Amino acid sequence: ITKDNTFASDSDRVGSDVSEAFALAGAGRPGPTLVDLPKDITNGETDHEPDDPKVPDTYQVQERADPEIVAAAAERIENANRPAMLLGGGVIKGEASEACREFAIEHEIPVITTMPGIGAFPEDHELSLEMAGMHGTGYANMAITHCDTLIGIGTRFDDRLTGGIETFAPDAELIHVDIDPAEISKNIHADYPLVGDAETVVEQLSEAVDSSPEATKWRAQCQQWKSDYSMAYDAPEDEPVQPEFVVEALDEATSDRAIVTTGVGQHQMWACQYWTYTEPRTWVSSHGLGTMGYGLPSAIGARIAADDDQEVVCIDGDGSFLMTLQGLSVAVRENLDITVAVLNNEYIGMVRQWQDAFFDGRHSASDYHWMPEFDKLAEAFGASGFRIDDYDDVAETIDAAIAYDGPSVIDVHIDPDANVYPMVPSGGDNGQFALAEDQL
């Protein structure tokens, strides 16, 4: 499960082992490295200085894609009638967001992101179709289903994105850009395999594409889908608070550069869908790892790494928050200015939603009607606690929590029956997404 691992066996070499591990972690496709440090080695004495971080000579990374395949891919883009760009997490890790934005805007190509790719392209731009996949927007999934040319950059095409492989982008020729050759054609066949650094390869494509595709009707169709399958929702004042409303209120109360972290579950999807992301590295989640409890610890890490003027907001679920809320002690100790909004429905919500949809409503280990009062629990840790029970509380409470100089927790009591839609059943056809339970 590591990109590289080393057993340190020499006190003279141990510093260099660590330096090399740091270099390898960030080289090529970033990934975790491990240095096993035995006690006798770390207790040893040495007068050796560690080497500067560098990868070993045996480690090779291909930066530029094959020029002939680049030329062929460029020709395909020029002749496309229904092109789309799909930006994955590799775009952000490879610092390729700006290059991708410039390419998409210059050639007026609609842009879709994966969940790890959120923020790679501004979601308030008219070309943005936002996130695709199991809980992606209807218009993003329609664009993937009907495009004739798909430019996938820095994505591994995992099953939460593709649904059933046989129905994924059935009419499209795939241009796949990835620095890791193992990802090319692993899940979806690449007609134009472009192995290389995302930013470098996009620049190669930009130089090779002489004319933009004629896709006026296609762009109009994408806009029509945005209208037909809008992410609107009902929020009657006499009913429980809807989670979408809370996410939008948090977004409105913070700057475009605010960093959002999440746990895993319904709250994670609402945070994807109803926050408008315009900058890379403002979305922090565990994605395919599905790590409940990730929200608060990652908010602590984000706060330490972020600029002082960036707000850090953790949108968490009650189940996820219960797993790691002891991290509040660290946040209080270090006086970290983070805001945690717990969307509290007294359920493991995504499990409950699946049990209702696919298992005749048989709830097993998903009802959490014994939840603690998270606002009081926060105060017990020394943080500031807030509570939201109705719509009148939302704006004022959020403003107060964000203004508090230190860790704050908002216990947001939301509609316990709220579900996440659109939804594509596991292994389903992305073009046949459900907008309600009776469509599953």
Side-chain angles (χ1 to χ4, degrees), residues 216-265:
T216 302
K217 291 183 179 179
W218 169 245
R219 288 189 293 274
Q221 176 63 78
C222 290
Q223 291 300 315
Q224 184 61 50
W225 283 326
K226 289 181 81 168
S227 176
D228 292 343
Y229 306 112
S230 75
M231 297 297 289
Y233 60 92
D234 295 326
E237 292 186 3
D238 59 345
E239 294 186 9
V241 174
Q242 295 303 308
E244 303 95 328
F245 185 90
V246 177
V247 172
E248 289 184 335
L250 285 162
D251 186 9
E252 186 175 345
T254 53
S255 69
D256 288 345
R257 297 180 65 242
I259 296 173
V260 177
T261 76
T262 75
V264 170

Side-chain angles (χ1 to χ4, degrees), residues 341-358:
V342 182
L343 302 186
N344 186 351
N345 56 12
E346 296 188 347
Y347 282 107
I348 303 298
M350 189 62 81
V351 175
R352 191 271 305 156
Q353 179 172 338
W354 277 59
Q355 289 171 343
D356 287 345
F358 303 116

